[in-house]
Amino acid sequence: VKASTAYMNQKSLVNTVRLGKVFATCDIYIIYLLHPSGELDRTLIIPSHLVKQEYLNIGKDSKYNIYQDRWDYLTEYGRFMQELIV
């Protein structure tokens, strides 16, 4: 789980998230993007195998917006893990 408060970068608001490693040690990133006021702007649910970098810079028109509120990824992942146990 990561959180980032937006800041002005030239003429637009941008969130920067440090992931820490190019090759993730988690399966899914849950990223809370906050408005400068501190209120929640967006939540991104991103499968970590799709991100191969240490930092994400997320603006209004980010390619990562397709992962906004994709809570279904967690449901699917939970089912997958349950099948491994049974």
Side-chain angles (χ1 to χ4, degrees):
V1 176
K2 301 285 184 177
S4 171
T5 301
Y7 61 93
M8 287 300 291
N9 183 6
Q10 297 183 12
K11 294 184 180 183
S12 64
L13 288 173
V14 176
N15 292 80
T16 298
V17 180
R18 183 177 186 276
L19 303 176
K21 300 175 184 175
V22 174
F23 299 103
T25 55
C26 65
D27 295 311
I28 297 174
Y29 290 116
I30 299 173
I31 303 172
Y32 294 105
L33 302 177
L34 306 175
H35 190 270
S37 67
E39 292 187 33
L40 182 62
D41 181 34
R42 291 175 282 166
T43 302
L44 304 180
I45 315 297
I46 307 173
S48 60
H49 73 278
L50 300 175
V51 181
K52 302 290 185 221
Q53 52 201 40
E54 288 186 56
Y55 291 89
L56 294 179
N57 290 310
I58 303 168
K60 181 180 178 183
D61 297 321
S62 172
K63 67 180 183 181
Y64 295 105
N65 286 343
I66 62 171
Y67 302 107
Q68 184 170 342
D69 294 324
R70 289 301 309 266
W71 295 102
D72 57 298
Y73 287 151
L74 289 176
T75 303
E76 183 179 334
Y77 182 74
R79 284 189 199 122
F80 167 74
M81 293 303 287
Q82 191 64 31
E83 289 177 13
L84 293 176
I85 295 170
V86 176

